Amino acid sequence: MSVQVNGSAPQTGAHAVIADATDPSRRPDVLFRVRRDEGHQVSAWWMIGAFVAVSGAVIALLSLVPGGA
């Protein structure tokens, strides 16, 4: 994927990381990346809890809007 000009090495560190990555989804330069064991899956309860929390926040914020039913 990296572009080399006249056989020279990439000019930036990011290109070098991408060129040397064996598994691009586990690159160390990705912000908020959490490395977990192979085959690890997040519990469905985290997604359910996030949905309930966001829904509650939206309902609470919408209740502050005047003129609602």
Side-chain angles (χ1 to χ4, degrees), residues 16-50:
V17 169
I18 294 170
D20 295 337
T22 56
D23 184 4
S25 65
R26 296 174 69 85
R27 288 188 349 228
D29 63 332
V30 177
L31 191 61
F32 300 123
R33 174 76 63 202
V34 176
R35 292 181 176 223
R36 293 193 169 90
D37 295 332
E38 191 71 30
H40 176 79
Q41 292 187 356
V42 177
S43 172
W45 289 107
W46 284 107
M47 298 299 119
I48 294 169

Side-chain angles (χ1 to χ4, degrees), residues 46-59:
W46 284 107
M47 298 299 119
I48 294 169
F51 175 78
V52 170
V54 170
S55 298
V58 168
I59 291 171

